[in-house]
Amino acid sequence: MSDTTVVLITLIAYKVVLLGVGFWASKRVSDESDFFLASGGEGGGLGAWTAGLSYAASTSSAWVLLGFTGMVFTQGAVGLWLVPGIFGGYLMTWLVMGPKLNAETAAKGHITIVDFITEGMGGGLKRATGLLCAGLILFCFVFYISSQFQAAGNALDEVFGLGIAEAVIIGAVVIVAYCLLGGFWAASMTDALQAGVMMLACILVPVATVMAAGGFGEVVNTLHATAPKNFFSFTNGAAGMAGVGVAMGLFGTGLGALGQPQLLNRIMAVRTQGERKKAAAITIGWGVVIYSGLICLAFAGRALQVDTGGESLFFAAAQAYLPSVLAGVVIAAVLSAVMSTVDSLLLAAASAVSHDSGVTYASPKKALLFGRLAMVGVAVIAVFLTLFLPQEIFSRVLFSWVALGAAFGPVVLVSCLGMKVRDVFKFAAIIAGFVIAVTAYGVDGPLADVVEKWGSWAVGLIILFIGKQR
């Protein structure tokens, strides 16, 4: 049996399991609340393992398995600044923001994070804020989803020689199918499953690659002898304030987690506060394994001089150093990373169109139908964007992540800390954070990175403090 056949069989079996989960979850979806937050019905809400693993998988999508690994592979130690930022985001969302998010969702029946943001706002400004948030989510997530489809297409093209168009369409159809069936239930259950597959892959591939390089000590020795002199520099060779800017720009990426609807929805959906604390521990433990493995893989791949452009390192190493069966599992893991984010993003984007926009429906069934139609529409737009405007995975995800985090993060954070802010200042902070982040993204240099990640947050927080109700 050829390597390609083994990979194909693995992927087909994996997709059948995903569709089976979607069919099972469809039995638990009867209205909009079930579809977007899994909160309705008997036994509604997520348990600790499902919430923790699905949150983790949704944060660590293709940009981690492919983008982060490629960055460390090509640029070296400077890429490691992303890690403390990501873990800081874990702690802030689960432990600082989590108690209020979870409690208020249970008490007031919120379905989306926009419901939380607009809670207590009055009249036309509430509707205007909802429309603004819906528009920002849709805009950012179309790019984000497109990057995930592109990663799936790259993986399928690499293994099977499919054209990018065919590969992207196949991946999109499977993801949309099980999301249409089971909504948030299906997305959360499949994400938890995918988190387990990703963890297995992030142990197997790094271990095999480090062993092929002669052990970690030999990897370090080889890199010191062959890598560029700045490879082990935590500022990529930049000195003084420029070096600080490089480090702070990468570290600040973790702030984006505080405003991501697809992540905060997991915290909102957890059944109890006790389950929330357990889920936080599960997410952090999972992250330790994943990031440790990928750092080792990047360094070992660089020492072995694996022939790759960087973002293809993960499955290039899998095919080179693993037996066929395990390589098949690993390729499935790459696609699972894509799916674990796409399903959540599709749900968040669809809820923005059908729920956060303020559209009213004649019945719960019509609200559910419109939510599903919105999901298909978003997926189609993202596929076209992928095929006709391809871009580097890491940069496209980073743009969406940072821009949305700067828009929503400050407002959600101060609300979780109990601060009451006048409505117009909330609206202004959302616009200011987004505009500053997007504008700075288009400028090169470490200073622009600091403004993009930190300046956008600082301005948003200042506006909110000025508008604080006394």
Side-chain angles (χ1 to χ4, degrees), residues 377-401:
V378 171
V380 170
I381 294 171
V383 167
F384 274 97
L385 190 64
T386 305
L387 298 180
F388 297 108
L389 290 174
Q391 191 177 346
E392 187 183 50
I393 295 168
F394 186 84
S395 62
R396 180 173 276 168
V397 170
L398 203 59
F399 162 76
S400 305
W401 175 275

Side-chain angles (χ1 to χ4, degrees), residues 1-9 160 324-325:
M1 188 180 297
S2 68
D3 292 358
T4 302
T5 302
V6 171
V7 174
L8 180 61
I9 292 172
F160 302 114
S324 298
V325 174

Side-chain angles (χ1 to χ4, degrees), residues 249-264:
L250 290 168
F251 179 74
T253 303
L255 286 171
L258 279 64
Q260 301 300 315
Q262 76 278 17
L263 304 183
L264 301 180

Side-chain angles (χ1 to χ4, degrees), residues 447-461:
L447 178 59
D449 283 345
V450 173
V451 172
E452 179 190 359
K453 311 290 176 52
W454 297 94
S456 56
W457 265 76
V459 172
L461 289 173

Side-chain angles (χ1 to χ4, degrees), residues 100-111 115-116 119-120 420:
K100 181 70 178 290
L101 273 175
N102 187 250
E104 188 169 305
T105 298
K108 299 185 178 180
H110 296 326
I111 294 177
D115 288 340
F116 181 84
E119 173 63 30
K420 302 294 183 181

